[in-house]
Amino acid sequence: VDEAGFAAAMEKQKVQARAAGKFKMDKALDYSGEGNDFVGYDDLTSNAKVLALYADGNAVTELKAGQAGVLVLDTTPFYAESGGQVGDQGMVHNAGGQFNVADTLKIKADVFGHHGEVKSGSLKVGDAVQAHVDSAVRAATVRNHSATHLMHKALREVLGSHVQQKGSLVNAGRTRFDFAHNAPVTDAEIRQIEGQVNAEILANAAAQARVMDIESAQKTGAMMLFGEKYGETVRVLDIGSSRELCGGTHVKATGDIGLFKIVSEGGVAAGVRRIEAVTGANALAYLQSLEDTVTQAAGTLKAQPAELNARIAQVLDQVKALEKELAAAKGKLASAQGDELMTQAVDIKGIKLLVAKLEGADAKTLRDTMDKLKDKFKTTAVIVLAAVDGDKVNIAAGVTADTVGKVKAGELASFVAAQVGGKGGGKPDMAMAGGTNPAALPAALASVQAWVTERV
């Protein structure tokens, strides 16, 4: 084993995975000017001046209608993608033009790049503008981000203090949270986590953010996320019973989150689990969708939603009973067909050869019929049975014990299957095969007699 090569490939994959999990920065943009003043914790609208414009990664003095680019403002309410939270969307405009912001990314720690397209008019470096964050998208994102902190605290309390954040993605749609844990989170644990988070929401406790030096923050007991890099000054967020270092935007009080619902949980890597959850209007829409599904299912089964479990159990019992009846009917059919088919056998040098196509038979029926025919023939017989099910061909080949020295069932099944676009094989006395070309089956069955004749 090339252990050195494996280790190198594994390290490359780890680097790629870590890179894919980190949020983007516009380091490729050549900007050396002053930083911007971020006012987005308190305001979603601000007056600003355009400090720089970029088109195709190059600095320009003007962006015109229909042109995509990046703009830098001296003051901005737009939050730049960081700490798991996606960048804000919105609009920057003045009398001369409107720029729609689709995303906000950091060029440097204190310089935000507003990505988007000029909707109308034009914008120039030095223009005085107004910046407006999309309040609905921000509000939904804020609810999800705040709920993530409460969920992180609940995860540690329910699953254990070994739980550590391994990654997160928070946008307007949902929160995605990766954490260290070595077992699936059970349904009971998920209910407990949801219960704790929603209890914090109902308490409607005010959230508080304080800016302080890193040493003072550590003394407060605030959780510092493993692997994160912090500067000398940090933001300590108190929300509900959670206290963490976080530079993201958050609700004023836990009640603003509205409702918290986990929608999925699963493993993403060895020892790493992923939970996705929704809040507010998205949580309501998710629950309404589930209700619609239950109502439609109940209607299909002609039952009330509350009776759905009992009705499903009843239907499954009925299906099992019908499957038993069908199996019995096919067994009788196989027996009856066996008697009729024996008359179709031809003699080839003292060996009885039977080649037949059975209508409406599945693979099991072919096997059952084959067994009955071999019992009836007892000696010196070669049998090939086939059936078509939609665009699928099932083939069974059987040879009595005294004839396997001359003809092998596995070889015969493969010979027929090859002509109908398939393959198969098995033991010398019994073999199954399949194919995907029903149109070629008649010719394939017709060729069996010559194949057997050559061998006997």
Side-chain angles (χ1 to χ4, degrees):
V1 176
D2 181 8
E3 293 186 13
F6 172 81
M10 178 60 78
E11 183 59 31
K12 179 180 178 181
Q13 173 60 28
K14 287 180 178 179
V15 170
Q16 290 175 338
R18 284 193 292 267
K22 292 185 180 296
F23 282 85
K24 302 182 290 293
M25 290 186 69
D26 277 333
K27 294 180 180 179
L29 296 180
D30 184 14
Y31 181 83
S32 58
E34 60 188 273
N36 57 245
D37 180 21
F38 174 62
V39 297
Y41 288 128
D42 301 309
D43 299 309
L44 297 183
T45 300
S46 70
N47 293 319
K49 183 176 75 171
V50 178
L51 297 180
L53 294 170
Y54 295 88
D56 298 322
N58 300 312
V60 295
T61 58
E62 181 181 15
L63 287 176
K64 298 180 180 180
Q67 195 170 10
V70 181
L71 61 84
V72 178
L73 304 174
D74 65 340
T75 302
T76 180
F78 286 81
Y79 180 83
E81 187 176 276
S82 180
Q85 181 177 332
V86 299
D88 278 331
Q89 302 173 15
M91 177 182 66
V92 175
H93 71 97
N94 61 12
Q98 177 180 320
F99 182 89
N100 287 352
V101 180
D103 198 2
T104 308
L105 305 173
K106 288 184 178 181
I107 298 174
K108 297 179 180 179
D110 61 345
V111 180
F112 296 0
H114 306 76
H115 289 241
E117 181 180 332
V118 178
K119 186 69 174 177
S120 61
S122 66
L123 288 179
K124 299 178 182 178
V125 173
D127 279 357
V129 294
Q130 278 194 327
H132 301 271
V133 173
D134 186 318
S135 58
V137 173
R138 165 72 83 85
T141 304
V142 158
R143 285 192 290 269
N144 287 334
H145 197 170
S146 299
T148 305
H149 286 268
L150 300 179
M151 178 172 65
H152 188 191
K153 181 71 181 298
L155 283 166
R156 289 175 62 83
E157 292 180 350
V158 173
L159 302 180
S161 58
H162 64 279
V163 168
Q164 289 183 341
Q165 178 178 333
K166 293 297 183 181
S168 68
L169 172 63
V170 179
N171 56 29
R174 61 180 56 193
T175 174
R176 189 183 76 197
F177 189 79
D178 296 347
F179 59 97
H181 188 55
N182 288 317
V185 184
T186 67
D187 290 342
E189 289 168 337
I190 286 176
R191 295 291 181 268
Q192 192 175 350
I193 294 164
E194 289 178 335
Q196 289 190 205
V197 173
N198 281 297
E200 297 257 35
I201 293 171
L202 289 172
N204 199 29
Q208 180 186 22
R210 295 169 289 165
V211 177
M212 60 184 72
D213 62 81
I214 186 69
E215 186 177 345
S216 298
Q218 290 173 329
K219 291 178 180 178
T220 69
M223 178 172 288
M224 301 177 66
L225 300 182
F226 178 78
E228 286 288 332
K229 294 181 180 180
Y230 297 101
E232 294 181 2
T233 302
V234 293
R235 197 163 180 262
V236 177
L237 175 72
D238 287 291
I239 180 166
S241 61
S242 168
R243 176 174 289 172
E244 292 187 30
L245 303 188
C246 183
T249 57
H250 294 281
V251 296
K252 301 297 182 184
T254 58
D256 296 342
I257 297 171
L259 174 65
F260 171 84
K261 184 74 181 75
I262 292 173
V263 297
S264 70
E265 188 279 335
V268 292
V272 179
R273 309 296 297 179
R274 170 172 293 174
I275 275 185
E276 294 192 358
V278 290
T279 63
N282 291 325
L284 177 61
Y286 174 78
L287 293 174
Q288 288 174 333
S289 176
L290 287 182
E291 185 178 43
D292 289 343
T293 299
V294 170
T295 300
Q296 291 171 9
T300 300
L301 294 175
K302 296 180 174 58
Q304 294 299 317
E307 304 167 346
L308 191 55
N309 284 338
R311 179 62 176 142
I312 289 174
Q314 182 183 21
V315 169
L316 289 176
D317 288 341
Q318 291 173 346
V319 169
K320 289 180 181 178
L322 291 172
E323 286 176 343
K324 289 182 179 179
E325 291 180 13
L326 180 60
K330 286 184 176 180
K332 292 180 181 179
L333 175 64
S335 180
Q337 287 183 323
D339 293 334
E340 296 177 6
L341 290 172
M342 288 189 68
T343 61
Q344 300 178 25
V346 297
D347 186 276
I348 299 179
K349 299 179 183 179
I351 294 177
K352 295 178 284 294
L353 172 63
L354 172 61
V355 181
K357 178 182 176 183
L358 304 188
E359 299 297 334
D362 57 14
K364 184 178 184 304
T365 302
L366 289 183
R367 283 194 296 269
D368 292 344
T369 305
M370 178 66 70
D371 290 340
K372 293 184 182 300
L373 285 169
K374 287 174 69 176
D375 287 342
K376 291 179 181 295
F377 279 116
K378 290 185 174 55
T379 60
T380 58
V382 175
I383 307 162
V384 176
L385 303 177
V388 175
D389 182 11
D391 58 356
K392 181 181 178 182
V393 178
N394 290 314
I395 300 163
V399 180
T400 54
D402 62 336
T403 311
V404 293
K406 298 179 179 179
V407 179
K408 301 290 190 297
E411 295 176 359
L412 179 53
S414 297
F415 168 72
V416 178
Q419 299 178 65
V420 293
K423 59 183 180 179
K427 298 178 180 179
D429 64 333
M430 177 64 185
M432 299 293 295
T436 57
N437 185 9
L441 182 60
L445 294 179
S447 67
V448 171
Q449 184 168 340
W451 187 90
V452 172
T453 300
E454 289 179 1
R455 281 154 182 78
V456 299

